[in-house]
Amino acid sequence: MSQRSQAINALPNSVSKALQALGENLRISRIRRGESLRTRAARMNVSVPTLRRMEAGDASVSAGVYATALWLMQREAFLPEVANPGTDDQALALQLSRNVRGK
């Protein structure tokens, strides 16, 4: 069995909670659509245990699996917005600060 990544072991609590909420939302979506674990797993090309781990918010499940679940909900278009550089206020402020100091 492979070792868990150090990054996964060191997840900030807020990230862990966000993944759990995402997993729960994906589980609710599956149930509302009347899909069993087996049917949804087959549609996503993953095993039922992987789907269960995703629905529990397991950080070791690949981002691709989460993205595929969002695709099944027709919500994948929102993924790029999560890290939109135009809305990264902290990075924009740092860049502006460097530009002002550089003049």
Side-chain angles (χ1 to χ4, degrees):
M1 182 170 234
S2 64
Q3 288 183 312
R4 285 176 61 96
S5 162
Q6 295 250 348
I8 291 171
N9 290 334
L11 276 181
N13 192 42
S14 61
V15 172
S16 182
K17 286 183 181 211
L19 281 173
Q20 288 172 1
L22 174 59
E24 177 65 11
N25 290 345
L26 292 169
R27 185 184 75 78
I28 291 167
S29 171
R30 174 184 58 77
I31 292 168
R32 285 184 176 168
R33 285 170 168 74
E35 282 191 287
S36 68
L37 283 165
R38 182 175 293 161
T39 299
R40 176 61 60 101
R43 291 183 67 206
M44 293 176 62
N45 293 311
V46 299
S47 67
V48 169
T50 296
L51 179 58
R52 281 191 177 121
R53 288 187 6 251
M54 182 203 69
E55 289 184 352
D58 187 330
S60 69
V61 174
S62 79
V65 172
Y66 281 98
T68 300
L70 291 168
W71 172 75
L72 286 173
M73 296 173 58
Q74 299 179 341
R75 305 282 291 180
E76 79 283 358
F78 294 99
L79 284 171
E81 288 305 310
V82 172
N84 182 339
T87 59
D88 185 350
D89 294 338
Q90 184 180 16
L92 291 169
L94 288 168
Q95 184 178 19
L96 180 61
S97 173
R98 284 193 299 269
N99 289 344
V100 168
R101 285 192 312 237
K103 287 187 178 185

